[in-house]
Amino acid sequence: MKIFTSTQIKELDKYTIEHEPIKSIDLMERAAMAVTQAIMERWDTLVPVVVFAGPGNNGGDALAVARLLADRGYQVQTFLFNISGHLSADCAENRKRLADRKGRPLLTEVTQEFDPPRLEEGMLVVDGLFGSGLNKPLAGGFASLVKYINASPAQVVSIDVPSGLMTEDNTYNVRANIIKADVTLTLGQQKLSFLFPENQQFIGRLQILDIGLSKEGIDTLETQYTLTTEDDIRPLIHKRSPFAHKGTMGHALFVGGSYGMAGAAVLAARACLRSGVGKLTVHTPRRNVPILQVAVPEAVIHPDREETTFSEAVSTDDFQAVGIGPGIGTTEQTSIAMIAQLRRANCPAVADADALNILSTRHAWLMQLPKGIILTPHPKELDRLEGQCVDSFERLTKALVLAEKVQGYVVLKGHHTAVCMPDGHVAFNTTGNAGMATAGSGDVLTGILIALLARGYHQREACMTAVYLHGLAGDMAAAELGEESVIASDIIDFLPKAFKLVSEK
């Protein structure tokens, strides 16, 4: 599923108007009808409605919604802000349609001073001030109005985008001047800024409305950002040959777990084996050997020469994938062994956790990583690697720069984990939940990744598939156990069902 920028949204509207064909005012009416229907499903006619409309097409949508709601028996007050004396053509047409409507006056046009209506509990505010075309922070009277709305006890529904929130980059936005919606009814497609955690306070409950934008236009328009869905993952799943044996299903190497951190190795190993790998070898300090042999009897255990730390790189000649980092620590000896392990890897590699912490203090080593490397940082690890970030958009930008720099893949973990690719594409994941915010969850993802790589998945396919299945297993675990009680082992336990669900459909 594609995510379009604000510029591309305009292009898609234009394409729909030209190729359906449909007049722009009729496309706006179609959008307004979808918004009106969504409002009617949540609020009945007893709820007083106050509509705030701006001078652009978002305001035109709001004026059309005001008219449609009034036609359906709602008590509606409408305020159109025409401070500059210039409305978009479709906004002006909807002003006329609302003004011409029979019945008591619904419209107050604001050109200078504004005495705001009293907003009380039990009322509904329809926010149609500014939409996806906004490119600078709100200021002056509009900023004051936003603060007034946010301070009121009324519920707020925003059309397309909460006013003041920009569609992509809000790094330098004034967050006090952004509408805090209870519900956002966005038109056509998901917006990039909706995927970032710091913006959730403004969006509230999100509903994406189909307004009949051209499918051909959507297919034709190239985009940097996509959302990964089950339909995307299903064709990527490798089917097992009836004649498969462990020798044809890949041999993975996992390096992890210092003494006291054997759990990281156990979790990654179990997840790897549950993800269909033919054979797994775990390289770990000698003191961890008894733990791993009991906890993961299916794995081959290769002890390090040291008792408590990882100290020596392993030949990768016999492996189809290698993963390193969880629980290894960051001592000088381990750090040198870690970069030696990655430098000598002649198979696809994954670096996670302490491997990333080591790289963050030795930036020159980044250029020594093998081409196609997969790095799996959470936000703080990415900040340590690339510098402190103000917000998620800046962090995503830096992750993309890192992917290009190392010519590899950066899996930036979060609620919508972003797979950043060396060609500049970003695939956001759509599975997962807050219950997965638990120690060891990342180790599980590393195990899934190396299993898929060892089985022959390309790095791009492996990243998208592993992240999706990891989140899906977490969703299944949360559905049965509740988000509060999910632990990393539960994600592993539900991996078989996740694979089965995607594979058999």
Side-chain angles (χ1 to χ4, degrees):
M1 184 184 298
K2 295 180 178 180
I3 302 171
F4 297 116
T5 64
S6 56
T7 301
Q8 289 175 316
I9 291 168
K10 291 179 182 177
E11 292 177 18
L12 183 56
D13 286 348
K14 183 179 178 183
Y15 189 98
T16 302
I17 290 164
E18 292 175 352
H19 289 80
E20 186 168 335
I22 185 174
K23 293 179 180 179
S24 60
I25 189 67
D26 293 331
L27 181 60
M28 182 175 284
E29 188 75 3
R30 185 191 292 172
M33 290 178 68
V35 171
T36 301
Q37 182 62 37
I39 289 173
M40 291 174 63
E41 289 171 359
R42 286 182 167 85
W43 292 278
D44 61 33
T45 56
L46 297 178
V47 177
V49 179
V50 179
V51 177
F52 293 112
N57 282 349
N58 192 248
D61 291 331
L63 294 176
V65 168
R67 170 172 43 82
L68 292 170
L69 286 174
D71 288 346
R72 287 154 178 79
Y74 286 80
Q75 179 187 339
V76 184
Q77 284 182 281
T78 308
F79 297 87
L80 170 61
F81 293 85
N82 188 12
I83 310 300
S84 66
H86 176 73
L87 303 177
S88 72
D90 290 340
C91 184
E93 174 60 25
N94 268 309
R95 173 184 62 180
K96 181 178 182 302
R97 291 182 180 184
L98 186 59
D100 290 346
R101 181 184 176 275
K102 293 180 180 180
R104 71 180 188 83
L106 293 173
L107 179 62
T108 301
E109 188 164 349
V110 180
T111 56
Q112 291 181 341
E113 296 298 320
F114 174 55
D115 184 19
R118 186 177 180 86
L119 301 178
E120 300 177 339
E121 189 173 355
M123 297 176 70
L124 175 65
V125 170
V126 176
D127 160 38
L129 293 171
F130 296 96
S132 60
L134 188 70
N135 57 15
K136 61 182 179 182
L138 296 185
F142 284 117
S144 298
L145 177 58
V146 165
K147 291 174 181 175
Y148 176 73
I149 294 169
N150 286 343
S152 80
Q155 289 193 289
V156 180
V157 57
S158 287
I159 299 174
D160 201 25
V161 179
S163 292
L165 184 69
M166 285 175 264
T167 312
E168 292 93 45
D169 184 3
N170 288 275
T171 304
Y172 301 105
N173 206 342
V174 180
R175 296 188 172 270
N177 299 345
I178 303 173
I179 286 286
K180 292 184 177 179
D182 296 286
V183 176
T184 297
L185 303 173
T186 201
L187 306 177
Q189 306 289 326
Q190 175 72 276
K191 309 298 188 286
L192 181 63
S193 62
F194 292 1
L195 302 176
F196 301 142
E198 63 270 19
N199 295 333
Q200 297 312 301
Q201 61 178 311
F202 308 116
I203 296 160
R205 185 180 297 276
L206 176 66
Q207 184 177 352
I208 301 173
L209 302 180
D210 182 1
I211 61 169
L213 294 174
S214 169
K215 185 178 185 305
E216 182 183 31
I218 293 171
D219 293 341
T220 302
L221 205 55
E222 292 295 326
T223 179
Q224 181 180 6
Y225 308 106
T226 57
L227 284 168
T228 302
T229 65
E230 186 178 314
D231 288 340
D232 299 313
I233 296 302
R234 195 177 304 114
L236 303 183
I237 300 293
H238 289 200
K239 305 298 182 184
R240 284 177 177 257
S241 165
F243 297 94
H245 55 82
K246 68 180 180 182
T248 62
M249 296 304 293
H251 188 177
L253 170 67
F254 175 74
V255 179
S258 57
Y259 183 61
M261 293 293 291
V266 170
L267 290 168
R270 288 186 58 222
C272 182
L273 289 162
R274 280 296 188 192
S275 299
V277 75
K279 190 176 179 182
L280 170 66
T281 294
V282 179
H283 181 86
T284 194
R286 289 186 176 275
R287 287 198 186 178
N288 286 343
V289 172
I291 298 170
L292 280 153
Q293 287 191 320
V294 172
V296 198
E298 298 88 352
V300 176
I301 311 303
H302 187 275
D304 194 274
R305 67 188 177 196
E306 292 291 332
E307 287 288 315
T308 59
T309 59
F310 166 56
S311 67
E312 57 182 344
V314 179
S315 170
T316 60
D317 289 347
D318 296 329
F319 302 102
Q320 285 72 58
V322 58
I324 186 170
I328 62 173
T330 58
T331 66
E332 184 68 17
Q333 184 183 40
T334 293
S335 298
I336 294 170
M338 188 280 299
I339 192 60
Q341 183 69 72
L342 289 176
R343 273 200 304 253
R344 70 191 295 179
N346 54 10
C347 58
V350 179
D352 182 32
D354 282 333
L356 302 176
N357 293 329
I358 291 168
L359 291 170
S360 70
T361 61
R362 296 165 172 83
H363 283 89
W365 286 4
L366 287 170
M367 305 317 297
Q368 301 178 35
L369 299 176
K371 188 175 180 180
I373 183 84
I374 297 173
L375 309 177
T376 59
H378 57 58
K380 286 187 178 180
E381 289 169 340
L382 195 282
D383 286 0
R384 287 195 285 265
L385 281 166
E386 292 296 296
Q388 191 68 33
C389 298
V390 174
D391 66 0
S392 297
F393 182 85
E394 183 183 7
R395 189 170 293 114
L396 179 67
T397 301
K398 288 187 175 182
L400 277 166
V401 170
L402 178 60
E404 182 181 9
K405 179 166 60 180
V406 302
Q407 280 299 287
Y409 297 77
V410 177
V411 178
L412 181 56
K413 293 182 284 196
H415 179 65
H416 292 288
T417 293
V419 178
C420 303
M421 306 179 192
D423 63 1
H425 181 72
V426 182
F428 289 96
N429 190 44
T430 55
T431 57
N433 62 85
M436 298 174 70
T438 183
S441 181
D443 305 331
V444 173
L445 177 60
T446 296
I448 301 170
L449 273 168
I450 60 173
L452 299 184
L453 291 170
R455 290 186 56 189
Y457 286 67
H458 184 273
Q459 285 94 329
R460 178 189 180 104
E461 297 174 346
C463 289
M464 292 173 62
T465 305
V467 167
Y468 186 89
L469 291 169
H470 179 252
L472 181 58
D475 287 341
M476 290 176 168
E480 183 164 320
L481 306 171
E483 288 186 358
E484 294 296 337
S485 298
V486 172
I487 60 175
S489 296
D490 298 326
I491 302 172
I492 300 170
D493 291 341
F494 280 89
L495 268 175
K497 290 184 177 181
F499 269 98
K500 191 170 185 286
L501 177 67
V502 174
S503 300
E504 291 186 354
K505 275 194 176 180

